[in-house]
Amino acid sequence: MQTHLQRRRFLLSLLFTISLFHLRPTPAAASPSRTLQISDADFIRQNCNTTLYADICYSSLSRYARDIRQSPERLVRVSISVCHSLAKPLSAYISDLFHRGGSDDPRLAEALDQCVETFDMAIGEMEDSLEQMRNMQLPSDIVNVQTWMSSALTNAETCTEGLEEVSDGPEKLDVINRSTEVMDFTSIVLAFVAEISPTPPSKETGLTFD
């Protein structure tokens, strides 16, 4: 009888030990989110999805995934560079249209002259923003970028507003379409800048700019 009782206690103890082993969570099961990784392209897509022009954003920036490397600061820097690459040839094109004087419409000539001026200012503001991003010292310095890129957007809008008073024609429509591309991408930049801009400006955010 004693032997049978001891055997029963042993079996119960063994079963209890086995149940504890099965109930104990493994490290992977305990924290699956810690092992979740996204690709550089996914990082860009996730950020682009927060903008008003997600498709344009992703198609333009995904080719720079290796340069951006899931860094919000590099994302801003590259997106400003892409925006600049759209604006600079457009400015040269508008300037060429104005100086060729290919239209007899004086209102178009006046609007193009204004566009040359406003896009020159916008390009300067984009270049200032790029320089600021390359030489960022304090998290609050991003506010300068926000200010300059907002002004660049306003300048591009001024160009298209001036063209609204001009009769429709291929030159007018071409400038408006290309200006709209610049404005759309500038708004993308501003969305990214807003994500890393300190709120309030004096608050430390722990950003690193390298």
Side-chain angles (χ1 to χ4, degrees), residues 39-154:
S39 68
D40 294 345
D42 286 337
F43 170 80
I44 294 172
R45 185 180 294 281
Q46 287 178 3
N47 280 273
C48 283
N49 285 341
T50 68
T51 72
L52 295 175
Y53 309 100
D55 292 340
I56 295 172
C57 175
Y58 183 74
S59 63
S60 300
L61 295 177
S62 57
R63 71 193 71 176
Y64 302 106
R66 290 185 178 180
D67 297 320
I68 294 171
R69 293 183 295 165
Q70 303 192 33
S71 164
E73 294 77 41
R74 292 191 187 95
L75 181 63
V76 170
R77 190 185 308 166
V78 171
S79 63
I80 294 173
S81 182
V82 171
C83 193
H84 182 267
S85 72
L86 293 172
K88 193 160 187 178
L90 174 56
S91 178
Y93 171 67
I94 297 172
S95 179
D96 183 59
L97 283 179
F98 173 72
H99 288 102
R100 279 194 289 114
S103 174
D104 295 330
D105 187 346
R107 291 180 301 174
L108 177 59
E110 182 180 354
L112 290 176
D113 188 24
Q114 182 183 50
C115 284
V116 170
E117 180 180 355
T118 56
F119 265 100
D120 280 348
M121 290 189 291
I123 289 168
E125 288 153 349
M126 293 176 192
E127 291 171 350
D128 288 341
S129 297
L130 278 173
E131 186 66 19
Q132 181 75 90
M133 291 302 300
R134 294 190 186 105
N135 298 285
M136 194 70 65
Q137 299 295 321
L138 299 171
S140 58
D141 289 347
I142 194 68
V143 175
N144 292 333
V145 177
Q146 199 166 29
T147 300
W148 288 324
M149 293 305 298
S150 295
S151 181
L153 178 59
T154 299

Side-chain angles (χ1 to χ4, degrees), residues 156-204:
E157 288 173 341
T158 299
C159 171
T160 58
E161 288 170 359
L163 286 166
E164 288 177 359
E165 304 300 322
V166 178
S167 300
D168 287 346
E171 293 174 337
K172 168 190 171 177
L173 295 177
D174 193 26
V175 173
I176 287 179
N177 288 338
R178 294 177 63 176
S179 297
T180 300
E181 290 179 2
V182 174
M183 290 188 290
D184 290 350
F185 215 89
T186 304
S187 77
I188 291 170
V189 174
L190 287 169
F192 294 156
V193 170
E195 288 297 316
I196 64 174
S197 180
T199 307
S202 61
K203 181 180 178 181
E204 292 297 324

Side-chain angles (χ1 to χ4, degrees), residues 2-15:
Q2 184 70 21
T3 302
H4 177 73
L5 182 60
Q6 289 175 345
R7 186 179 302 168
R8 186 181 179 191
R9 287 176 177 171
F10 171 76
L11 290 173
L12 289 173
S13 176
L14 180 62
L15 288 171

